Structures are given as structure tokens and as C-alpha cells.
Amino acid sequence: MAIRRPRRYHIYDSLPKLRLEKCWFCSSTCYPGHGVTFVRNDATVFRFCRSKCHKNFKMKRNPRKVKWTKAYRKLAGKDLAEDATFEMERKRNRPEKYDRELVHKAVGALKKVTAIRATREARLHTLRKSAARDAEKAADLRELEQSIHLIKAPGVLAREEEERLRESVEELQQTEAMQE
Amino acid sequence: MPVYNFKSMGVVPTAKDLVDIVLSKTQRQTPTVVHNGWAIQRIRQFYMRKVKHTQTTWHEKLSTILEDFPKVDDIHPFYSDLLNVLYDKDHYKLALGQLNAARGMIDKVSQDYVRLLKYGDSLYRCKALKRAALGRMCTIMKRQGPSLAYLEQVRQHMGRLPSIDPNTRSLLVCGYPNVGKSSFMNKVTRADVEVQPYAFTTKSLFVGHTDYKYLRWQVIDTPGILDRPLEERNTIEMQSITALAHLRAAVLYVMDISEQCGYTIKQQAALFQSIKPLFANKPVLIVANKTDVVALADLSAEDRALLDGVAAEAAKVSAGGFEGDKPGSNLIAMSTLTEEGVSVVKQIACDRLLASRVEIKLKSKRINEVGNRIHVAMPRIRDGTARPPIIPASVLAKKGLPPAAPRPTERDLQEAQGGAGVYNADLRKQYDLKDEAWRYDIMPEIADGHNVLDFVDPDIDARLEALEREEAAAAAEFEALDTGLADDHLSQAEWEDLHRIRERKKRIVADNRRKRAAADNTPRIPRTLDAPRSRTAERMKAELGALGLDA
């Protein structure tokens, strides 16, 4: 009887050879072969997707205050911040035993989750716009009222007003006659 | 216990040099100018300073010498005896004592003369007093010349003494001259002791170091000893005797059974008898050397009997024997020329010494510090149930089987398939998977800018389903919502008006900017020369018409 040797646990018994990281400054993906990785003396690792982010970092800018970064946008509520879709995509530190079915499902889930996240972001943007919409409408009406003198003389305005009133009165009388 | 470092003693200058040093120091470090016309107190101070400075310098120099030299009474008895043998303890103590006395005398001289200087009434008188004081101090030291010279010689010799640690594990090699002690030393350690055919080649103790059982062992080579009463022994032999007397080491009594050294086995045995008292409480080994010339078996019966007698005596006297020792077990044959038996001798000697040291340590009080660390606790018996060790049946079954044939290792597989650079090891062979078909799968690590591993989760189905349900509900809710984004607050006509207003505003702003940019650049042209004639009636009619007025 052969001695049972302890068998390797997992198909990726070490970390995967390739992993996409997030840029420290703008939170976009750092693809391999791009960007700069800076390791500080206290062993904190900063990854940057391009020199723009790297240079901003060297200028000691706070990404939370720089308008075009994801950090700012999430903080200011312009982009989706907390959501169930983010929970689905989380770096897990305990590897699972390899299961082809599971990986297959994971790839499918990946696509669906990304799609759902996109629709949710779009919804958020729409809601933001609608919140600002009322103010916009009010501004339009105000502009129309105040600046009409630029295209119509005051006398003309009064005349048009009279005409419109007469027309609406006539309409009203007609509808009353039809109802009777 | 520190190993004494006699090399770090400072040089002892001769009396003449010492006098020169001290006086020049005083000359350099005290003011040199004094005038007749100064206040008498100042003159006195000047000379008193000189005297005191000289005294302190003498005191310092003599103190350093006295402190450097070890006090014979304060050091390990081995070293004190060795110093006695080499330099005569009395002479040594006398020399140091004289220096000490000289130091005291110089202090007194200085004291006296400083007191006299306090009452010096002229520069000449003070100067004479100072000269007298310094002169007396220097004469005292000049008389110490012989002591200083002797101490310097002692110091030079002491610096070259071997650094023997009297408390660590040591093997002491002794015997008649020319039996092969230094050869043994050369073989066992890295020491390069002179080996020559004449007697007393080794004239002093030599130390070598060797390793056994991960410990450092000192091997001490001694000069040969002759069979004489103690009083008649010369300095060289006395060194061996000192080492034998004071060092707690394993003794290797080397005998030359071929009698090439010039002494018979009988004489060697006799020597052993006479120095036997020195071997008390030490593990003793009788080493029969030069077996390449005469083997142990080829000895005559009486010689053999003598040897065995010596071995028996050694066994009686020595310590550190193992229980159940055979009578001849401390007699070992070796040959330093052919190197056979040398390592056996070393091994047995070291083992015996270790055993005796352990015994002594066990008897001492220090065992309590370590005792709790080497105690193995056994549970107290509390009832009659037997609790034997549990051994699986498969192990018991295997016990009788012959050992399994060696399996082919991965290394063998590599060599069989082309060697290190050619063969690619199959690392996935041993993977433990639910389905064998998955063994050589290539798993995607990245998809659509995301890491696949971040999504792998055992309960992924449930979570995805929950998410989709949530999403459906949210979508329905959103549909029902009135976002208010439809542009229904203005009619078509109003939109057109608004558009025209905005155009007009832009126009006004652009015109203004143009005018401002050219404000002071263009000259005022009088109306007679106004070619474009921008102020015309047609223009007015058109503009008013645009506003809706009928002009």
C-alpha cells in the first residue's frame, strides 16, 4: 500500500498570475504594462494607471477633491457608491477548490452584474438630472418673461395679449355651447 | 570566567625613559615663565604646581603599571602557579611591591616639599626647593631600574603565554619526552607544534582547539616529564606539573610502546606511578602510541602486563568511567604517523570528560536551575484501568513486512525524460479535484476588465438570483416614476421665442465684445466720410419691424 501523500489543494494554489488592480488616484483599472507602481518605505503600494495620476499624486493632491476621479464622484454622490453589485465583486482571500462549473457561473455572473451596474448608474444619473430639472424650468420661464423685450416691442406684446385673451374666451363659449 | 588577556598590558619603560617621560611632561604641561619681580605668592604657586604635577604624573604611571600586572593571589590557581613556575612568585611580588613603595615615597616627598614651598621667601629659594623635590623623586625611581627591567621582561613573556581557559573542556596530553604528544596535538587540532627527534622540543604549554559533538575542546600539549622528585624538576617540567595539578581536564597519558623515545615501558610505567596523585578526579586514558612500529599484540608478556597494570591503576584513580567498563577499556592503541586510532582516542577522552562534568554538575546546586527543564512528567496512576498506547492495526500489520521498494522519485522522472532543462514538470499531477476532467483546465483570470476570481463564490447562484429580483423590482419602480424630464412647460411658440431671445443675447454680447476690443483703436470718422452709411432709414424700418412694430 503506497503512502498517501498530501495532495495539492487547489488549481491555483498560489495567487493568479494576472490580476487587474485599481489606480490609487482615479480608481480606474491598471492594465499590465501600463502605469507605475510606487512602493513606499512603510510597504504601502500605490498603483497608478497613467502618468497623469502619478503626477497628481506627486503634487500631493487629494483624489477626493479632484473632480474627475471616481473618489470625488462617489463622495459627491454623482456616481453609484454603495450597491449590491459591488458586494458581488470582492477580492476574496481564501481560495476555493477549483470547480469548473463554479468558474463558468462566475463568468456568467460577471457579465450580468456589470450590466446591472451600468443600468443602475444610468438610473442614478437620470434622477440627478430630474432633481435639477425643476430649477431649470423655472429659469426658462423667468427668462422668457424678463427678456421678451429684446425681440418684441412692448406695444406688440400688449396687442398679442389681447388677441390671445379674446381667442380663449371664444373657445370657452364654444365648448359651453357644444356641451349644451 | 574570563580568559586572561595578558597581551593587553602596557609597556613598562626603563627607569631612565620613565624619568624622561615624566619630566618632559611636566615641562610641557605647566607654565615655564617666571620672573623675579612677581608677587611671592605667585612665584610659590608656580613652583608648587610643578612639584605637584610631577607627583601626580609619577603616581599615574606607576599605578597603571601596578594595575596592569595581575595579582598572583587574585587569579585562577592555575595561572598563579604558572606565573610562579615561570617568574618566581616572590621575585614578582617583590618587584611590584617595590614599585608600590616607590609610589608612596614620591607622594611623601611631594607633600613635604610643597609644605616647605609655602614658606619660600625668594624666587631662588623656591626654585631650589623645586629642584630638590624633583631630584629626589627621580632618584627614587632610578633605584627601581632593575625592578622595571624585570617587569618588562615578565610582561613580554606573559603576552606570549597560551590563552588557556581553565574552566572549559580540555584534554591534557602528558608523558615522557618524545613519545608523540605534539604529533597527536598536530593531528587532532590545527596547531602547528614543532615536532623534532630530540627531547624537550616542546618547552612550554601549547593550546589547540578541536570540535566534538558541536562543542569546543581545548587540547593542551605539555613538555615531557622525567621521572624525578618534585624538588629536582626544572622550569619546563614544572609547567606540565602545574597544568596537571590545576586544570580539570581529561588526561591522556601517552606511552611509546616501541621505546623509540629512549625510555623503556618500565620507566614510563614508573613515571605514571609517581605522578598518579595528580590524576585524582580526572578521567585518565592510557594511550599507547607508535603502534605502526610495534603493534600492541606484538609486545612481550611482561611489557603487556606492565601496560595493563598502568591501565588498571588509571581506572582506579580516574573519574568519569562508564558503568560496566571492561578492565582494559582505558588503554587505547594509536599511531600518530598512520593516524589510526587518533580519532578513537579523542572520542573516548571527550566522552569520558563530558560524563564526569555532567556528574559533577548533577551533584552541584546548579542542577536545580535546569532540573525542571529536563524533568519528564508522568501522570499519576489513579485507577486500575490499563491505558496502553494506541497503535493502528495497519501499522502493526506493516511491522512484520519487509521495507517497501523505493518509489521512483520526481527527480528520477526528470532525468528519464531529458534532464533539467528539457523536462517540464507536471505540477498538476497531485491536484485534488472533484472531477478528473478538470485537471488540465485553463481558467480565465480576466474578463471585460474585471478579475474572474473576484466573482467566484460558492453561493453565487443564490446571490445572483437575489440581485436579479431586486433589479426587476427597481426597474418597475423607475418606470412608474415621473422624472419630469419631458419638456412640457413651454408651448412651441414660446420655445421659439425663447430660442430667439437667447440668440439675441448672444449677438449683443458678441457685438459688445467686438466694440470693447476696438474701443480706442479706431478713429472717429466724420459723417461726410461715413462710407458704409450704417444709419439709414431702411435699416431702422427693418429693425423695428423685427420687433413687431409697424414703422
Side-chain angles (χ1 to χ4, degrees):
Chain A
M1 180 171 67
I3 299 167
R4 257 214 79 198
R5 298 258 158 81
R7 302 174 102 182
R8 286 274 174 78
Y9 187 56
H10 200 220
I11 197 162
Y12 36 89
D13 53 355
S14 54
L15 293 166
K17 291 182 184 58
L18 192 55
R19 204 196 140 76
L20 299 177
E21 305 284 352
K22 289 268 171 267
C23 173
W24 186 84
F25 198 81
C26 65
S27 314
S28 65
T29 20
C30 299
Y31 281 89
H34 293 263
V36 164
T37 305
F38 167 57
V39 182
R40 219 164 43 182
N41 274 354
D42 61 356
T44 21
V45 179
F46 297 91
R47 282 177 217 276
F48 304 106
C49 60
R50 56 200 195 281
S51 62
K52 176 178 179 180
C53 303
H54 187 42
K55 284 176 181 159
N56 268 296
F57 173 78
K58 285 195 280 188
M59 277 193 269
K60 295 188 169 186
R61 286 201 183 147
N62 188 351
R64 284 158 181 261
K65 294 202 174 166
V66 178
K67 295 270 163 61
W68 51 271
T69 58
K70 208 76 176 151
Y72 173 87
R73 289 188 67 84
K74 290 201 177 183
L75 198 67
K78 296 189 189 287
D79 273 350
L80 206 58
E82 306 177 337
D83 195 47
T85 46
F86 294 118
E87 297 304 313
M88 296 279 302
E89 179 180 9
R90 260 254 166 255
K91 181 179 181 198
R92 285 151 239 272
N93 286 319
R94 296 172 75 212
E96 300 289 333
K97 213 174 216 188
Y98 178 68
D99 190 329
R100 195 195 270 175
E101 315 299 324
L102 196 59
V103 173
H104 194 69
K105 282 186 214 156
V107 176
L110 190 155
K111 297 195 160 61
K112 289 206 191 110
V113 165
T114 346
I116 290 171
R117 197 188 297 160
T119 40
R120 287 192 181 183
E121 294 236 13
R123 244 178 259 147
L124 180 74
H125 292 149
T126 326
L127 288 170
R128 276 203 303 126
K129 272 195 270 182
S130 68
R133 194 64 180 136
D134 293 332
E136 237 179 70
K137 289 184 185 174
D140 282 345
L141 286 166
R142 210 180 328 123
E143 193 176 359
L144 200 57
E145 201 187 302
Q146 288 179 346
S147 310
I148 195 72
H149 65 276
L150 292 174
I151 49 169
K152 290 185 178 156
V156 178
L157 264 174
R159 218 190 314 140
E160 283 189 355
E161 192 69 35
E162 269 182 46
E163 278 187 30
R164 228 181 296 132
L165 236 117
R166 226 184 300 135
E167 280 178 13
S168 60
V169 162
E170 280 180 18
E171 260 186 57
L172 214 72
Q173 285 177 345
Q174 276 184 4
T175 48
E176 274 183 10
M178 277 176 61
Q179 277 181 0
E180 282 170 11
Chain B
M1 276 294 147
V3 180
Y4 298 101
N5 193 2
F6 298 137
K7 295 190 224 294
S8 64
M9 292 197 286
V11 181
V12 180
T14 60
K16 192 161 165 301
D17 284 341
L18 201 48
V19 164
D20 284 339
I21 289 168
V22 173
L23 290 180
S24 64
K25 210 165 174 184
T26 310
Q27 191 186 33
R28 274 181 290 123
Q29 293 187 349
T30 51
T32 52
V33 181
V34 68
H35 291 297
N36 223 334
W38 283 0
I40 189 63
Q41 191 57 26
R42 195 171 165 193
I43 295 173
R44 282 183 196 145
Q45 238 179 29
F46 175 84
Y47 285 111
M48 276 201 283
R49 190 170 166 180
K50 296 249 175 207
V51 172
K52 277 201 222 135
H53 188 274
T54 316
Q55 179 258 319
T56 37
T57 317
W58 275 122
H59 194 98
E60 270 171 28
K61 293 242 173 271
L62 291 174
S63 301
T64 37
I65 294 171
L66 289 167
E67 273 160 18
D68 272 348
F69 279 86
K71 284 212 196 68
V72 166
D73 303 320
D74 282 354
I75 52 180
H76 193 273
F78 166 67
Y79 275 105
S80 73
D81 247 1
L82 193 65
L83 293 181
N84 183 19
V85 161
L86 292 169
Y87 318 125
D88 191 7
K89 187 164 75 170
D90 298 330
H91 194 175
Y92 179 86
K93 275 180 148 176
L94 254 171
L96 288 176
Q98 288 198 336
L99 279 188
N100 198 18
R103 187 174 58 170
M105 278 199 274
I106 288 174
D107 291 344
K108 286 210 100 127
V109 159
S110 142
Q111 232 179 14
D112 293 337
Y113 276 87
V114 163
R115 279 198 206 119
L116 285 174
L117 267 167
K118 277 202 270 203
Y119 304 107
D121 45 8
S122 70
L123 182 135
Y124 177 73
R125 189 89 46 122
C126 292
K127 184 171 180 177
L129 282 169
K130 167 230 163 203
R131 271 191 75 197
L134 260 51
R136 278 181 75 169
M137 289 190 224
C138 294
T139 322
I140 294 169
M141 280 319 294
K142 274 200 260 203
R143 288 204 302 263
Q144 307 302 325
S147 303
L148 287 168
Y150 166 75
L151 284 173
E152 173 57 20
Q153 289 203 335
V154 165
R155 184 200 73 91
Q156 283 180 357
H157 196 273
M158 260 208 269
R160 289 194 286 264
L161 284 179
S163 53
I164 299 175
D165 184 352
N167 297 307
T168 187
R169 304 157 286 270
S170 334
L171 304 177
L172 201 55
V173 191
C174 60
Y176 256 101
N178 264 359
V179 292
K181 304 186 289 298
S182 301
S183 315
F184 174 73
M185 176 84 158
N186 283 341
K187 288 280 177 285
V188 168
T189 68
R190 278 197 64 190
D192 211 3
V193 189
E194 215 187 315
V195 174
Q196 295 283 346
Y198 62 87
F200 291 103
T201 316
T202 314
K203 290 185 256 294
S204 66
L205 300 172
F206 284 97
V207 189
H209 296 270
T210 182
D211 294 312
Y212 179 71
K213 280 193 179 163
Y214 307 108
L215 296 167
R216 252 306 82 154
W217 298 77
Q218 280 180 145
V219 185
I220 302 170
D221 184 23
T222 63
I225 320 170
L226 298 171
D227 196 3
R228 299 207 272 233
L230 191 65
E231 304 78 39
E232 289 174 31
R233 290 199 185 277
N234 60 26
T235 324
I236 304 175
E237 291 170 318
M238 277 310 290
Q239 290 183 55
S240 322
I241 302 294
T242 313
L244 276 171
H246 291 286
L247 293 175
R248 275 193 301 128
V251 178
L252 298 171
Y253 184 74
V254 184
M255 297 178 73
D256 178 2
I257 53 177
S258 69
E259 299 178 355
Q260 269 184 352
C261 56
Y263 304 96
T264 61
I265 294 184
K266 188 151 180 249
Q267 286 174 308
Q268 295 182 40
L271 173 65
F272 182 83
Q273 295 298 332
S274 50
I275 59 174
K276 205 171 53 175
L278 290 169
F279 297 155
N281 296 328
K282 297 189 180 71
V284 181
L285 275 182
I286 311 296
V287 180
N289 199 11
K290 306 199 189 168
T291 51
D292 52 305
V293 182
V294 175
L296 204 57
D298 297 343
L299 277 180
S300 67
E302 44 182 75
D303 282 341
R304 193 58 215 262
L306 274 171
L307 268 178
D308 290 334
V310 168
E313 285 291 333
K316 262 196 280 178
V317 151
S318 78
F322 301 124
E323 280 157 24
D325 252 354
K326 293 205 302 285
S329 59
N330 52 355
L331 171 67
I332 313 162
M334 84 168 174
S335 166
T336 49
L337 194 66
T338 60
E339 286 197 51
E340 59 169 301
V342 169
S343 37
V344 174
V345 167
K346 170 180 152 189
Q347 198 184 321
I348 298 183
C350 291
D351 285 335
R352 292 218 173 189
L353 182 62
L354 264 178
S356 88
R357 277 171 78 99
V358 165
E359 232 180 272
I360 293 170
K361 283 207 179 123
L362 278 172
K363 285 193 213 134
S364 78
K365 283 206 201 122
R366 284 188 63 178
I367 193 62
N368 293 329
E369 291 167 25
V370 197
N372 59 345
R373 281 195 255 160
I374 57 175
H375 167 65
V376 177
M378 301 298 286
R380 230 180 321 134
I381 302 170
R382 56 186 167 153
D383 56 19
T385 347
R387 293 186 180 85
I390 298 172
I391 304 169
S394 54
V395 172
L396 283 173
K398 260 215 278 189
K399 255 191 148 181
L401 294 174
R407 289 170 39 140
T409 60
E410 289 297 322
R411 187 82 192 249
D412 294 337
L413 198 60
Q414 179 187 289
E415 297 306 318
Q417 297 203 3
V422 178
Y423 168 70
N424 266 332
D426 182 10
L427 301 166
R428 301 196 183 194
K429 252 199 312 210
Q430 305 267 25
Y431 280 179
D432 181 20
L433 299 164
K434 217 168 21 164
D435 190 343
E436 286 305 309
W438 301 344
R439 191 167 293 279
Y440 296 101
D441 263 3
I442 302 169
M443 194 190 96
E445 289 171 7
I446 286 169
D448 287 350
H450 298 271
N451 297 304
V452 171
L453 274 173
D454 291 347
F455 286 89
V456 163
D457 200 349
D459 45 348
I460 193 173
D461 282 333
R463 292 179 73 179
L464 191 61
E465 212 183 319
L467 185 70
E468 286 186 325
R469 252 183 285 126
E470 211 184 289
E471 181 59 21
E477 206 187 299
F478 186 70
E479 282 299 311
L481 196 64
D482 170 34
T483 52
L485 283 172
D487 294 332
D488 54 357
H489 58 305
L490 296 175
S491 70
Q492 184 64 21
E494 287 178 325
W495 269 119
E496 284 177 9
D497 282 344
L498 190 59
H499 182 72
R500 275 165 59 202
I501 288 171
R502 286 183 177 157
E503 289 287 305
R504 185 86 188 97
K505 279 192 177 170
K506 281 191 208 159
R507 266 269 188 90
I508 291 167
V509 167
D511 283 346
N512 248 333
R513 282 185 185 161
R514 208 178 338 109
K515 277 187 212 157
R516 288 246 305 268
D520 294 324
N521 291 351
T522 47
R524 278 234 161 143
I525 305 176
R527 211 164 139 188
T528 46
L529 300 169
D530 175 28
R533 293 277 173 153
S534 46
R535 295 157 177 262
T536 56
E538 276 83 35
R539 193 169 145 215
M540 197 178 98
K541 219 192 275 185
E543 286 188 8
L544 286 176
L547 282 174
L549 295 168
D550 183 27

